[in-house]
Amino acid sequence: MRLRRNGKRKIQTDRENDIHLKGKKIILRDIFKHLPPVLACLVTSMIIINTFSLINTFGSLVLTGGLFYIFYRDIKRYRPDYIKKYRMILLVVIMVPFTLLLAKGFYYFFINFSEGIGLESSEAVLYGMPIAIGAVIVTLIFDFHTAIIFSFTTSLLAGIWTLEPLYPVYAFLGSLVGSFAVVKCKKRTDLLKAGLYISITNIFTLTGIILLKRIDNMEFLRNAYLYASMSGIVVSAMVSIILPVIENLFKVSTDITLLELLDLNHPLMKNLMIAAPGTYHHSIIVGNLVESVAEDIGVNPLLARVSAYYHDIGKIKMPEYFIENLTGTVSKHDRLTPHMSSIILASHVKEGVEIAREFKLPEAVIDVIQQHHGTCLMTYFYQKAKDTADTEPKEEDYRYHGPKPKTRVAALVMLADAVEAASRVLKDPTPARIEALVDRIVNHIFIDGQLENCELTLRDISLIKKRFTYILTGILHRRVDYPGFDFGEKVKKHESDTKRQTTKGKIRQERFTSSTPKDWRTSGTPRH
């Protein structure tokens, strides 16, 4: 009895200790998650102080803390996925002090530059500070909504530092126009256009400030317009330099990087085209499918297409084991057990992740490669194992290792991959049959629970079905017969010739085997 009681107490104590440890871990994780905004707030409050004193420091901390709280709450409300990723929230809050520190550095540089070349009116230097750098980078890496609240925060903080009442308007308008200019940035030359738009906006805003303040100092006006026009050029140059560094440090990708990966002359795509032409063609069609519906369901079309292009790169290692690359009539899986075949099929996901990391593909694309099959069942080999094995095979042995899609992009690629592969078995691809096929495949994936971890809604799934049906109907369309040509007759003749040659080869082999002494056939050495 005592042993039982002691055992129960020990189990209860262990459970309490586990709960206590888990509670501590959760608390530490929450502290660690909220640490970057707090540290960024402290650093920013120190940057915007003009004269160091206890009262100024406290006042700066109060104002900075209020703005950071609004900034953080806005991200948590409208972009909660950034809060879940530590790297992303770290980057977005670091950008605030980084932007102000960079602007302050250029401020002192321009003052020394003005004194060096003999320019007066150093107050005009304020209008040359490249405050819009942060907003442009945030738009390229995150989104336009985040850039708006970021521009609002940095503009007010810059106004606190400069003590100029109208400067926040100048900084905010320049940042906002810069963000607008790079929303659909597709190449690096678009950054130069963004810089031009920022300069024009700055000149326009400066004119309004001058009229409101009724400034008539010609020296100040000349210098202010000079620096206002220069600020856009500085923003373009600095963004071009800083953006690749941020992409490498924080493992993030912009549309510019994704466009470079869309080039079919990329080494990976060229290798896929040569080693696995069937997989290459399949990937191109999957890319067309996902891009057709991506924007309608709130997914970056470029990211969706790039992910579709590279989702099956693991098949480069053993292309002959995948049906789309099969050139003959005999499959290599005929000589393997169903379990071994399932292992080979599942390995292309792991191989794809390794190849992607080797070629330094973006993390978002690597995630799709890893998740595009989820934990789906390899139905063909599972059924084959059930038919051939004496005992019931384990279903887990014939499933992909996952994880299930965690993003809309991964889920979209999964659906497009399955639908495109299934469409190949349609003998008479009429619109009605294609629609029924798409509906059946998508419903099967949904019922299997593969979409439970992503954010696809029923409306999104309905849109996906309609768009996939439309695209596949266009791809698998019928053609009229060519007059004077009977391709079916030629195909039948070719098949009969191939069959005849195969039969002759078997007969020769049998004759050779029967005429050979038994001892040589069973031994490992040739007969002399």
Side-chain angles (χ1 to χ4, degrees), residues 9 26 29 181 363 395 409:
R9 285 177 184 175
I26 291 168
R29 188 177 62 192
E363 285 294 323
E395 195 175 291
V409 179

Side-chain angles (χ1 to χ4, degrees), residues 140-157:
L140 290 169
I141 295 176
F142 295 93
D143 55 80
F144 182 67
H145 176 87
T146 307
I148 292 173
I149 188 66
F150 179 89
S151 302
F152 174 77
T153 305
T154 51
S155 300
L156 289 180
L157 289 169

Side-chain angles (χ1 to χ4, degrees), residues 218-246:
M218 295 305 296
E219 186 72 21
F220 173 84
L221 294 177
R222 186 187 66 187
N223 295 342
Y225 277 114
L226 174 66
Y227 282 116
S229 58
M230 280 176 56
S231 62
I233 300 168
V234 173
V235 168
S236 296
M238 292 306 298
V239 169
S240 300
I241 295 167
I242 295 167
L243 192 61
V245 177
I246 292 175

Side-chain angles (χ1 to χ4, degrees), residues 504-516 521:
K504 284 180 181 179
K506 285 181 179 178
I507 292 169
R508 286 175 186 171
Q509 181 64 31
E510 287 173 4
R511 286 176 182 173
F512 176 76
T513 306
S514 61
S515 64
T516 305
R521 293 201 307 269

